[in-house]
Amino acid sequence: MLNHSYLLKDLDILKQHLAKFYSMVQIEKDANGEERWTDQSDPDTVGLFGHKHLPSTSPKGFLFAEKEALYKFDGETFESITPQVVPKVLFGVQACDLTAIAYQDKFFKQDPYYQKRRENILLVGIDCESPCTNGFCAEVKAGPHVNDNTADLVVSRLTVNGSNQLAEWLVIAETEKGQNSIKGLPLDKAHKAHFILRNRLLDKMRSEFADYSYINNAIEYLNDNAVPQHLWEEMSVRCLSCSGCTNLCPTCSCYSTYEIAEKQPDNVISETKAVKTETLRVWDSCLFEGFQREASGHNPAQQAAQRVERFWFHKFSDEYLTEFQRYGCVGCGRCEQTCPGTIGVHSVMKRINQECCS
Amino acid sequence: MVQNLVNSICPFCGVGCGIGLVATDNNIISVHPLNKHPISQGKLCAKGWNTAFGISRHGRLTHPLMKIDGKFREVSWQQALSHIAKSLKKFISESGPQSVGVISSARATNEDNYAAQKFARAVLKTNNIDHCARICHSPSVAGLKKTLGSGAMTNSIDDVGKADVIFVIGADPTENHAIIGGQIMQAKLSGATLIVVDPRQTRLAKVADLHLQLNIGTNIALLNGLLNIIFNHNWQNEDFINQRCEGFSELKAHVAEYTLDKVAKITGVKGEDLVKAAKLYSQANASFLAYGMGITQFVSGTNNVIAVSNLALICGQIGREGTGINPLRGQNNVQGACDMGCLPNVYPDYQSAMDQKVREKFTQAWGTEVANFPGLTSLGMSHQAKDGHFKGLLIFGEDPVVTDPDRNKVAESFKVMDLLVVIELSMTETAKMADIVLPAASFAEKQGTFTNCERRVQLINKAVNPPGEAKIDWQILKELAKEMGVPELMDWKDSEEVFHEMTQLTHSFSGISYAGLQQNNGLQWPCNEEHPNGSRCLHAKTFPIGKGKLIPVDHAPTDEVPDSEYPFWFTTQRLHFHYGCGSMTRKSPLLERETPDGLLFMHPQDALDLGLKNHQGVAVSSRRGCVETRVEISDQVSPGLLSMPYHFKEAPSNLLTNNAMDPGTEMPELKVCAVKLVPLPENQPPRSSELSDVGIGEQYA
């Protein structure tokens, strides 16, 4: 790692350099104060970095599109629709979201639509410097520093309280793509001391997290099947099946396909009559009652309690460790904010912990 | 493809959540929640999350259509508008301006609605202007006008979190106003006491501390009963009554006959629960009362609202944070459509159309004589059409054939009109019946303002261009005014100019500008010299009419009650996943999938008695019509009560509903009628009641 690590005075130098080769995607704040991942951002715009600015919507949609056409049928032949992509750099992705992208990379390994986008994206990660609202990445090993092999480049601020001890920024090229992306930039090599400082800052930050031990306790109860049925039922009354948690969850990957026929209504006389269909996919949600309903009408998860339980099982079950080498939850806490029924991750894990402890 | 992000306001219910529209290639592909929005704070309901489907290019109207020989053909805007203008002029010259009218849309912007009532009053010279508030909160506007002087939600949505007791009567907020419903559940978790009064076991009823599951149509008996309990225990707020109310002794004497036993008998609610509810509501520091269609959609709608108002006034649960009388409005801009004067009896800001001074003011401001005779409600226009006195109607973004009571009668009246023009996003059941259909721009295709149920005027912004030749409602009216020969009356260059004209003619909105709305994330009216930052809470010191009026009202039976021929009670409801006539939400494959197989909710005991299996087909009939659907066995309803959502054109509950009306407001009794039920053979699918592509066939000719 040391071989591919550099020092940087001003992050803007790196950004301007990358902007020559990639379309810039970074976090911007709009007129209403809303922070979000902004496509085709002007590289001269000062982006927002780090823990203070985790947008409510993760960058998931840049890889796994919220709605996209898969193929079309003109009455005779099928034709795949390949996503139109340009090389993009996602500049300043937080550790939790990078961990989620690495998770999705596994899930969508065989998915040409995802992969086409993925190949054209350069991920520049950033180490967070303090805990964010609702975030508990440290508890689920997703942050606060960028995990190894989840970004092409990682930037980490080495200044403490504004004082410049060794250098402003440490830049680590984690992949060949990352290494290539900074070719031609005159950068000094980093030393062991810089990594020691980075680790020291990490240790200090870990101690700043609130006590989230209820989360790991609840994970144990979940895996022991110790959560009583009545608790799932109580909590599921509060699930409105809005789909907010699954839409915002950076690791949720379920989708549905549907077909639209491009045909004028029969009561309109018009020149064009040919029937063409297009098949699209959209993000789906396992909290919808219809998600698992079978053609016969039978539904293995008809009760809201079964669906709510399944959702949390998918986020925290040991059963998925073999496939993904980690839990499905990356500790971003977005579901806590978006859930109208107050059954986001903190609320649920606290209740499980309380119920099972008592 | 580049993603553009534009902030706007959700186009569904009256909560007014913030949504970020994600557009690529001139299409909205998805929406994002907005963390900084003062109401939704990063949350959305299933409808909101699925907004993109509702306005997608697919299935949208893109050209004006004219029905020629029973088929719609594409025509130019010029052809369509010139035909409409000629016809309207002919009707007016032959039969007078009473023979034409406009139904505006609670889904459209304030600017569109201001333009619609101005077009009616200044161009057509008629007060025949109405919209769907007629069938949702017209009794709130009328009832609260009488008792307080203003018909809007008195408090703000986030007052839910400041209340000690939350009293929800005749409303199902987790399904219909989900973000408010969520805030109520959150408040309950944080320690507030929740009382739900509803004949159905709603989601909120399941989490409530107290569910008063009253017999349908017995609201006044229950509310009067609570008052009598309060008086008997001396739980009323004497100071508030002395300083702020009049009519106390009459009311007290009046409700004395609503004894505990009598009320328990009428309502079916246990006496001890009534006492508990009366104590909790009256004795709390702050009690927040919210209500919905379960109060208004009755022949006693206005009296129901008055009874609600009596309870809040007697307990002094109004004029402070965390209290209030809070009607939950159904549409994104039904508050605004009322505020803009799309009602036959009032100009913008509720200035009376019967007041000579008001008419002079608008004559002066608009530079033309305005209508000088009383206007008709939407149902009034329908009735007059059947008698041959009403000839031409413009309908903006409403689907009365699906949403209004007694569909057969509604459809018949449209059939006999000489000209029906429907301005819509897609080919709805009502549009199928039109002579001319004009393509409208959706909320994501225009700028303007919506006013939510807490009186917050909020900006919506254009994210994509309208499809094909679709235009914005106020632009269509501007073009039509030109065609009618009065281009100068509606010659606006953009929506901001329309809004500005409105603020110059109203008091409540005089302090609002687009810039101010942008800066403040919306402003709550009244916003003017006295309230430059808007008004979170109304009636803190006084009511618009001075003292609050306590008005005695009596329990009266519903227009229909079950009998031997029609033995079941029948009521209507909404589903979390669908909205109104379903023309937008049903375009989402995800929401469509959530539609239950059975649309007639029935208690397990009734199903057992009738030998019905879950999802078996049934024919349900009332005195007005018959509809086939499947049963959904559910303990949400009590035995003897059947319930049906109204979103589905294949099984329109409004073939059954009763159009008996609340006398003052012409609010039909949508919430209750009597029906009978015949099971279909076990494997026979229900027949669809959807209209054919060109509307109603020969049976109504």
Side-chain angles (χ1 to χ4, degrees):
Chain A
M1 191 185 279
L2 206 50
N3 284 339
H4 303 291
S5 304
Y6 309 90
L7 297 174
L8 188 63
K9 182 92 185 141
D10 183 355
L11 212 50
D12 203 45
I13 297 169
L14 175 64
K15 192 163 82 173
Q16 293 295 344
H17 174 78
L18 295 176
K20 286 186 229 160
F21 311 100
Y22 295 94
S23 170
M24 182 64 54
V25 184
Q26 60 179 346
I27 301 166
E28 285 186 27
K29 191 185 270 193
D30 69 19
N32 297 98
E34 227 40 75
E35 292 171 348
R36 48 205 190 181
W37 284 102
T38 306
D39 202 11
Q40 278 206 349
S41 175
D42 180 349
D44 290 333
T45 306
V46 181
L48 302 169
F49 280 98
H51 56 277
K52 284 181 190 155
H53 309 288
L54 187 72
S56 63
T57 304
S58 81
K60 174 166 84 172
F62 287 97
L63 298 147
F64 167 35
E66 299 189 50
K67 184 179 184 184
E68 69 177 324
L70 300 180
Y71 58 86
K72 55 189 174 187
F73 178 62
D74 64 2
E76 290 180 356
T77 48
F78 289 94
E79 190 190 335
S80 291
I81 301 169
T82 321
Q84 300 295 306
V85 294
V86 293
K88 288 181 181 180
V89 55
L90 266 57
F91 199 79
V93 188
Q94 290 89 344
C96 53
D97 283 342
L98 287 168
T99 305
I101 291 172
Y103 187 95
Q104 296 251 19
D105 284 348
K106 288 186 181 139
F107 183 83
F108 286 111
K109 203 167 179 186
Q110 308 292 332
D111 186 289
Y113 304 91
Y114 180 94
Q115 290 302 333
K116 178 82 190 277
R117 293 192 175 85
R118 182 69 182 88
E119 284 159 15
N120 281 280
I121 279 178
L122 182 82
L123 294 173
V124 179
I126 183 166
D127 283 346
C128 285
E129 295 166 17
S130 72
C132 63
T133 331
N134 291 333
F136 56 97
C137 52
E139 211 72 19
V140 287
K141 301 184 177 61
H145 273 191
V146 175
N147 280 337
D148 290 349
N149 303 316
T150 59
D152 297 300
L153 292 176
V154 179
V155 296
S156 186
R157 200 202 308 259
L158 296 179
T159 51
V160 182
N161 300 329
S163 72
N164 190 348
Q165 299 187 345
L166 294 169
E168 288 277 340
W169 294 91
L170 174 65
V171 181
I172 308 160
E174 298 238 332
T175 62
E176 202 179 323
K177 193 164 155 189
Q179 184 66 38
N180 289 336
S181 73
I182 51 172
K183 256 187 200 158
L185 257 188
L187 297 171
D188 290 336
K189 288 253 181 186
H191 303 291
K192 202 171 175 187
H194 298 111
F195 280 84
I196 293 171
L197 177 57
R198 183 190 182 212
N199 282 335
R200 196 155 6 114
L201 292 172
L202 175 61
D203 288 341
K204 181 175 162 288
M205 184 190 352
R206 279 188 202 278
S207 66
E208 291 168 14
F209 277 86
D211 179 10
Y212 290 132
S213 55
Y214 57 83
I215 288 177
N216 270 314
N217 293 346
I219 292 174
E220 274 185 42
Y221 294 124
L222 272 167
N223 280 296
D224 289 348
N225 272 325
V227 185
Q229 194 51 33
H230 74 87
L231 185 59
W232 291 122
E233 271 159 24
E234 258 173 65
M235 291 194 295
S236 70
V237 175
R238 314 176 74 86
C239 175
L240 308 181
S241 303
C242 72
S243 72
C245 54
T246 52
N247 287 337
L248 293 191
C249 179
T251 65
C252 271
S253 54
C254 286
Y255 59 81
S256 184
T257 60
Y258 69 107
E259 196 175 75
I260 51 177
E262 281 178 31
K263 146 177 157 338
Q264 290 278 8
D266 289 337
N267 54 347
V268 177
I269 294 179
S270 154
E271 299 302 302
T272 51
K273 265 286 178 188
V275 181
K276 292 178 184 164
T277 64
E278 197 171 69
T279 299
L280 295 93
R281 78 169 165 193
V282 285
W283 290 0
D284 202 345
S285 175
C286 60
L287 278 320
F288 283 132
E289 194 267 336
F291 179 77
Q292 211 184 354
R293 194 192 307 126
E294 294 159 9
S296 68
H298 172 68
N299 189 345
Q302 192 172 18
Q303 300 306 317
Q306 294 171 298
R307 301 194 292 274
V308 170
E309 181 178 0
R310 176 178 60 191
F311 175 80
W312 294 108
F313 183 78
H314 274 240
K315 295 302 159 197
F316 291 116
S317 169
D318 291 344
E319 281 187 24
Y320 296 96
L321 294 178
T322 345
E323 191 179 352
F324 294 102
Q325 288 80 50
R326 61 158 297 108
Y327 288 138
C329 174
V330 295
C332 68
R334 289 182 173 101
C335 51
E336 186 68 21
Q337 176 72 36
T338 205
C339 180
T342 328
I343 45 167
V345 65
H346 290 289
S347 306
V348 164
M349 301 307 258
K350 262 184 214 165
R351 289 201 58 183
I352 291 176
N353 186 44
Q354 275 165 12
E355 181 81 23
C356 298
C357 258
S358 59
Chain B
M1 279 184 285
V2 191
Q3 282 194 358
N4 287 315
L5 302 166
V6 176
N7 290 349
S8 194
I9 300 300
C10 180
F12 294 109
C13 78
V15 178
C17 296
I19 54 173
L21 299 170
V22 185
T24 62
D25 200 20
N26 208 34
N27 267 307
I28 306 292
I29 58 156
S30 66
V31 303
H32 290 176
L34 301 181
N35 276 353
K36 301 280 190 270
H37 190 270
I39 294 153
S40 51
Q41 297 170 32
K43 304 171 207 310
L44 291 173
C45 72
K47 295 178 282 285
W49 276 109
N50 280 270
T51 303
F53 293 103
I55 51 167
S56 78
R57 295 311 208 225
H58 179 65
R60 287 282 297 277
L61 294 163
T62 52
H63 293 85
L65 302 173
M66 201 185 284
K67 203 182 270 165
I68 301 166
D69 301 331
K71 288 260 180 192
F72 282 116
R73 284 163 207 271
E74 285 180 7
V75 293
S76 69
W77 272 101
Q78 182 54 43
Q79 280 172 290
L81 293 174
S82 132
H83 181 90
I84 298 167
K86 260 189 220 144
S87 307
L88 290 173
K89 279 198 237 169
K90 179 167 161 269
F91 303 145
I92 294 169
S93 74
E94 287 174 6
S95 315
Q98 301 92 317
S99 65
V100 294
V102 181
I103 293 180
S104 187
S105 176
R107 317 299 313 284
T109 61
N110 287 320
E111 292 74 2
D112 294 330
N113 278 288
Y114 176 81
Q117 60 86 35
K118 183 173 179 182
F119 182 84
R121 293 181 165 121
V123 180
L124 302 178
K125 315 286 185 199
T126 180
N127 279 314
N128 293 345
I129 168 83
D130 205 5
H131 73 285
C132 69
R134 182 65 44 212
I135 60 167
C136 67
H137 272 294
S138 56
S140 298
V141 176
L144 296 179
K145 186 97 187 164
K146 269 190 203 165
T147 62
L148 314 175
S150 162
M153 190 163 156
T154 62
N155 285 56
S156 294
I157 293 170
D158 66 4
D159 278 24
V160 165
K162 296 168 182 161
D164 302 302
V165 167
I166 300 166
F167 188 98
V168 179
I169 178 165
D172 191 1
T174 57
E175 313 311 296
N176 310 327
H177 306 89
I179 299 310
I180 295 182
Q183 290 186 11
I184 294 173
M185 291 199 289
Q186 160 91 57
K188 154 88 183 126
L189 264 189
S190 314
T193 304
L194 175 60
I195 304 169
V196 173
V197 185
D198 206 296
R200 289 189 301 118
Q201 197 194 21
T202 58
R203 189 189 300 270
L204 274 191
K206 285 183 193 158
V207 302
D209 297 278
L210 197 53
H211 176 204
L212 309 184
Q213 195 166 9
L214 79 177
N215 294 329
I216 192 160
T218 61
N219 288 305
I220 294 177
L222 185 131
L223 290 160
N224 280 354
L226 294 182
L227 282 177
N228 195 28
I229 296 165
I230 289 166
F231 294 139
N232 289 338
H233 289 84
N234 237 349
W235 286 335
Q236 69 272 23
N237 186 331
E238 292 284 351
D239 288 350
F240 189 88
I241 294 168
N242 291 337
Q243 288 161 23
R244 302 281 308 267
C245 304
E246 56 192 40
F248 170 67
S249 38
E250 294 86 335
L251 180 66
K252 188 175 172 183
H254 178 79
V255 298
E257 65 177 87
Y258 286 83
T259 59
L260 203 54
D261 285 351
K262 179 176 164 183
V263 172
K265 195 159 174 245
I266 299 174
T267 61
V269 177
K270 276 190 283 185
E272 58 191 284
D273 284 347
L274 292 167
V275 176
K276 264 190 225 165
K279 184 172 187 184
L280 283 165
Y281 180 81
S282 62
Q283 299 304 293
N285 278 330
S287 290
F288 181 97
L289 187 150
Y291 72 87
M293 306 291 89
I295 283 292
T296 58
Q297 288 178 334
F298 288 96
V299 289
S300 57
T302 305
N303 283 351
N304 284 346
V305 171
I306 291 171
V308 165
S309 171
N310 287 341
L311 176 67
L313 288 172
I314 285 296
C315 302
Q317 297 291 12
I318 189 167
R320 290 175 287 119
E321 275 202 334
T323 68
I325 301 171
N326 300 294
L328 303 178
R329 309 291 312 237
Q331 279 90 356
N332 56 317
N333 198 36
V334 68
Q335 183 65 54
C338 291
D339 298 344
M340 291 304 107
C342 286
L343 296 168
N345 59 332
V346 288
Y347 278 79
D349 201 14
Y350 306 95
Q351 301 173 76
S352 172
M354 298 305 110
D355 184 337
Q356 178 65 27
K357 279 198 200 114
V358 170
R359 290 202 299 271
E360 275 165 19
K361 170 181 168 178
F362 281 89
T363 296
Q364 187 82 30
W366 289 343
T368 188
E369 281 297 319
V370 295
N372 62 1
F373 62 93
L376 296 167
T377 64
S378 50
L379 294 158
M381 292 184 240
S382 290
H383 286 154
Q384 293 284 315
K386 271 175 275 175
D387 300 339
H389 303 311
F390 188 87
K391 312 276 186 192
L393 178 63
L394 311 184
I395 301 182
F396 285 86
E398 275 199 20
D399 191 7
V401 171
V402 175
T403 59
D404 282 16
D406 199 350
R407 183 185 88 172
N408 288 340
K409 278 215 176 122
V410 174
E412 249 177 288
S413 73
F414 289 158
K415 181 97 182 150
V416 297
M417 282 180 197
D418 293 317
L419 177 75
L420 177 66
V421 181
V422 173
I423 298 93
E424 255 300 353
L425 301 182
S426 57
M427 189 59 82
T428 58
E429 298 289 274
T430 303
K432 287 175 183 174
M433 300 207 58
D435 301 292
I436 293 181
V437 180
L438 301 175
S442 79
F443 87 105
E445 294 146 9
K446 61 188 180 187
Q447 193 181 35
T449 55
F450 290 158
T451 306
N452 80 346
C453 65
E454 60 164 16
R455 300 168 275 102
R456 185 183 295 271
V457 183
Q458 308 193 85
L459 265 185
I460 62 162
N461 295 300
K462 180 177 169 176
V464 290
N465 292 320
E469 296 178 5
K471 285 184 200 287
I472 302 169
D473 296 1
W474 67 260
Q475 289 176 335
I476 296 172
L477 288 161
K478 171 184 165 173
E479 295 300 317
L480 196 53
K482 209 189 276 174
E483 210 59 43
M484 299 281 291
V486 283
E488 70 283 359
L489 288 185
M490 305 183 64
D491 192 21
W492 303 294
K493 70 172 192 302
D494 56 26
S495 64
E496 190 166 5
E497 213 172 89
V498 186
F499 190 83
H500 182 72
E501 178 179 315
M502 182 278 293
T503 60
Q504 300 304 297
L505 294 166
T506 54
H507 184 58
S508 298
F509 302 92
S510 57
I512 306 183
S513 67
Y514 273 20
L517 293 177
Q518 173 65 39
Q519 240 165 41
N520 296 287
N521 245 329
L523 287 163
Q524 288 171 275
W525 68 255
C527 178
N528 45 34
E529 270 183 3
E530 301 97 87
H531 309 279
N533 300 317
S535 311
R536 275 188 46 85
C537 173
L538 302 181
H539 319 317
K541 301 228 159 60
T542 176
F543 295 105
I545 51 167
K547 287 199 168 187
K549 303 249 179 325
L550 299 166
I551 303 171
V553 287
D554 258 321
H555 166 69
T558 54
D559 181 67
E560 272 188 0
V561 292
D563 53 22
S564 54
E565 197 184 350
Y566 295 95
F568 283 97
W569 289 101
F570 177 86
T571 190
T572 54
Q573 65 174 99
R574 288 175 271 178
L575 302 176
H576 177 90
F577 305 100
H578 289 292
Y579 184 85
C581 64
S583 68
M584 285 170 75
T585 47
R586 296 192 68 190
K587 285 169 79 177
S588 160
L590 304 176
L591 297 183
E592 184 67 356
R593 198 181 60 191
E594 290 305 286
T595 304
D597 288 336
L599 296 174
L600 184 76
F601 294 89
M602 174 185 278
H603 190 272
Q605 188 58 51
D606 286 336
L608 197 68
D609 292 349
L610 291 161
L612 280 169
K613 291 195 170 144
N614 200 21
H615 302 155
Q616 189 174 336
V618 287
V620 200
S621 340
S622 74
R623 290 182 173 84
R624 291 150 297 279
C626 174
V627 52
E628 291 188 7
T629 182
R630 296 177 190 276
V631 288
E632 186 77 24
I633 297 176
S634 161
D635 51 14
Q636 203 186 92
V637 286
S638 40
L641 175 66
L642 305 173
S643 181
M644 213 174 154
Y646 72 89
H647 317 293
F648 304 98
K649 57 188 175 188
E650 305 88 333
S653 60
N654 282 318
L655 274 168
L656 307 173
T657 48
N658 192 351
N659 64 356
M661 288 177 193
D662 178 37
T665 61
E666 301 192 3
M667 160 63 87
E669 192 157 71
L670 283 157
K671 272 294 171 205
V672 57
C673 70
V675 298
K676 65 180 171 192
L677 184 144
V678 180
L680 298 176
E682 224 181 285
N683 291 317
Q684 184 178 317
R687 200 176 31 151
S688 167
S689 301
E690 187 178 353
L691 300 185
S692 79
D693 282 346
V694 285
I696 296 279
E698 290 309 302
Q699 68 265 41
Y700 298 107

